[in-house]
Structure formats: C-alpha cells, structure tokens
Amino acid sequence: MIRTVESEQQLVSAPVLAAYRYCEAVTGQQARNFAYGIRLLPTPKRRAMSALYAFSRRVDDIGDGALPNPVKAERLEETRALLTRVRAGEVAEDDTDPVAVALAHTADVFPVPLGGLDELIDGVLMDVRGERYETWDDLKVYCRCVAGAIGRLSLGVFGTEPGARGAERAPEYADTLGLALQLTNILRDVREDAEGGRTYLPADDLAKFGCSAGFDGPLPPDGSDFAGLVHFEVRRARALFAEGYRLLPMLDRRSGACVAAMAGIYRRLLDRIERDPEAVLRGRVSLPGREKAYVAVRGLSGLDTRHVTRRTVRRRA
C-alpha cells in the first residue's frame, strides 16, 4: 500500500499557503484539462498536484521557449539544481520562489518520488537536442520521462486504498496511463509540433503509412495513408488506456474520480481524432467545457472504476 494523507484540516503556514495559491493560479490558467480533474480532490491533494504541475510547467516552458538551445540546457540544469535543494530540505518557507516552497511542502507531506521530476527534465532535454524516434520502443523512453513519471508522481499524492488487490503494480499502471495521455497529446499536436521542427511519431510508423515527408500543412503528404497512421496510433493509445485504467479500483473515490476525469477527457479527444484524422492538421482538437464537465461528473460517480472492476473480475473468473 502507498501511504496517503487524507486530512483536509492540515495546518499550513501563511507563506506556504501563498505559495500553493500561486501554483493553483498557474494550474488554472495554463492547464485546463488538468485543472478539471484536480478540482475533484480534497484540498491537500489538490494543492500538492498544483505544486507538481507548476514545477513541471516551468520545465516545459524552458523547453518550449525561444531561447537558444545551449541556454535552454543551462536553465534546465539550474532547475534540476533547485530540485536537488528541495530534495535535501534546503528550501525555507520564506524562500522567494513560490513553486519551490510549495513543492518542498508537498514532498514533506506526501511520499512523492521526486526523481520523476528529474526524468521530466531529462525528457525536455531530449526535445532541446531535437531527438527523433525510430521505433515505438524509442518513443516510449521519451513518453515515460515526460508523462509516465508524472503519473508516478501523482500516485504519490493519491496513495492506494488499504488492502487494494494488486496495489504493488499501481506505479506501473500510473506510468502506462501517462504514456496513453502523452501519445494522445502527440497525435493532437502533430501539426503544431511539425511547425516547431519536432517530430515525435516513430519513423518506422511514418514510413509504413507513407508519411515520412512530415506534416507542414493542412493536408496529409501526397500519396500517404494519413488516416491509417492515425488509426494505428489510436489503437495503440487505446490499449495503453485500457491497461492504465486498472489503476482506478486501487484509488480512493475522489482520487479515482480525478484520474478518470483527466483520462476521460483525453479518451474523448482520441475519439474525435479517430472520427476525423485530418482535423489534427487543420488545428487543435479540443473538447467544449460542457463535455469536460460531464466527464468530471462521470468520474465522480465512479462509473469508470466500476467498469474496470467488473472487467477485472470477469478476467479472473
């Protein structure tokens, strides 16, 4: 069982509370899908998740910014040094960096594996170096750094229910769910990434479907089977979601609702992409707010968790 903290009456000092409020503001402004999910959490867990997001966002912003690559690499290593200070307990409550203050408090309260944030930095350094991926196994390494690690960090906040069957595999399922979300992101952002000079889909897959020329416009490459490529990657993402969803019955109701809401939003994005593959070349595919709200309510109702539980029971029968 992974230890968790349930009390919503934790005493938090004024500087730490201010730091968390800053992180929650960052999360609300810059992570709409993520913010929908963490609203379902009790206050301590919601704050902790916002601290993890704010630090992760800082890392991502360095990688996505306009600085020269050597400067980006230097900034990322400076951020890693800050993480080392957090890990060593060297960040005081009155530190001038609110993200560091909130993250340090989170690490004191919850058993979050901070090494996951080192993995995130490693993944963003791959972006800075402009790495390409020949195979799905190669891309999985990147996805585990930038998304699987976030799943494992989040599990440190959620914890698992006492006596949850198979809880020793919870980190594996959290990691797999992160891969599913990241592959969905890659499909959604294929045009935007191409315009930024980045290609994430495996070169083997691109070649198989005649898409090696890339995606520099609103239409697929001439003679390609772009729809076939998208449907192939959608099936891969669905298999990852199915495996990762086995985490849900291991979580308490509100943590399970949070995970189901965030994953549910991305699964619905995947549905939209599957129905109209070329939409990702015309612009960003997104869900309206009312549909996100429905997914959140569905998660809170426990429908997804009960579905996974019934499916698991049938497998064991």
Side-chain angles (χ1 to χ4, degrees):
M1 181 184 70
I2 297 175
R3 180 174 60 85
T4 187
V5 178
E6 295 294 344
S7 172
E8 294 202 36
Q9 304 301 320
Q10 280 182 279
L11 295 178
V12 179
S13 69
V16 171
L17 185 59
Y20 275 129
R21 284 175 177 161
Y22 173 84
C23 292
E24 288 185 293
V26 170
T27 303
Q29 291 166 6
Q30 303 189 41
R32 301 295 173 83
N33 293 341
F34 187 81
Y36 263 94
I38 68 171
R39 287 177 187 173
L40 304 175
L41 294 171
T43 301
K45 291 183 179 182
R46 187 185 71 246
R47 289 172 177 164
M49 291 295 289
S50 71
L52 290 174
Y53 175 81
F55 186 91
S56 301
R57 183 71 192 200
R58 178 178 294 182
V59 174
D60 285 341
D61 284 348
I62 293 170
D64 292 337
L67 294 170
N69 285 343
V71 179
K72 287 182 179 182
E74 182 180 343
R75 293 285 177 85
L76 287 168
E77 292 304 336
E78 289 171 358
T79 307
R80 196 191 302 274
L82 174 61
L83 182 59
T84 300
R85 287 182 55 220
V86 170
R87 188 182 289 113
E90 296 174 356
V91 176
E93 290 189 356
D94 60 353
D95 193 283
T96 57
D97 186 337
V99 175
V101 171
L103 183 61
H105 186 268
T106 292
D108 284 342
V109 174
F110 295 95
V112 290
L114 290 178
L117 293 173
D118 275 306
E119 292 180 57
L120 173 63
I121 294 170
D122 291 338
V124 175
L125 281 168
M126 293 180 198
D127 283 337
V128 170
R129 292 193 295 266
E131 292 194 15
R132 302 292 178 99
Y133 306 97
E134 291 296 319
T135 67
W136 167 237
D137 284 341
D138 295 334
L139 180 59
K140 275 197 294 189
V141 174
Y142 170 78
C143 291
R144 285 211 159 94
C145 284
V146 299
I150 302 303
R152 286 177 266 121
L153 284 158
S154 300
L155 182 62
V157 174
F158 298 146
T160 54
E161 284 283 80
R165 188 167 182 175
E168 70 279 357
R169 297 191 66 183
E172 173 190 334
Y173 296 140
D175 183 276
T176 300
L177 203 51
L179 264 63
L181 269 60
Q182 186 61 26
L183 182 53
T184 304
N185 263 337
I186 288 170
L187 285 173
R188 181 194 63 184
D189 298 339
V190 66
R191 168 82 182 277
E192 182 181 325
D193 289 333
E195 289 173 346
R198 293 177 182 172
T199 300
Y200 291 103
L201 291 175
D204 282 359
D205 296 350
L206 296 175
K208 186 186 305 181
F209 293 95
C211 294
S212 297
F215 314 105
D216 57 359
L219 296 174
D222 289 341
S224 69
D225 181 11
F226 181 72
L229 171 66
V230 170
H231 291 151
F232 177 80
E233 302 298 349
V234 165
R235 288 193 296 273
R236 175 176 278 156
R238 288 197 193 287
L240 292 168
F241 273 116
E243 181 72 7
Y245 261 49
R246 298 177 73 174
L247 174 67
L248 293 180
M250 302 175 185
L251 306 177
D252 67 80
R253 178 171 174 265
R254 290 173 71 176
S255 296
C258 172
V259 173
M262 288 190 286
I265 288 170
Y266 279 85
R267 287 182 75 182
R268 283 172 174 262
L269 283 174
L270 207 58
D271 291 341
R272 291 189 171 215
I273 293 169
E274 183 179 39
R275 287 195 297 268
D276 183 7
E278 291 188 22
V280 298
L281 298 179
R282 297 192 297 268
R284 173 169 282 219
V285 178
S286 61
L287 298 184
R290 65 181 180 277
E291 194 168 348
K292 292 180 184 179
Y294 167 78
V295 174
V297 170
R298 179 185 171 92
L300 197 56
S301 74
L303 284 173
D304 294 311
T305 299
R306 289 196 294 273
H307 176 72
V308 174
T309 301
R310 287 196 298 270
R311 188 176 62 200
T312 303
V313 169
R314 285 198 299 270
R315 283 178 178 171
R316 291 174 183 151

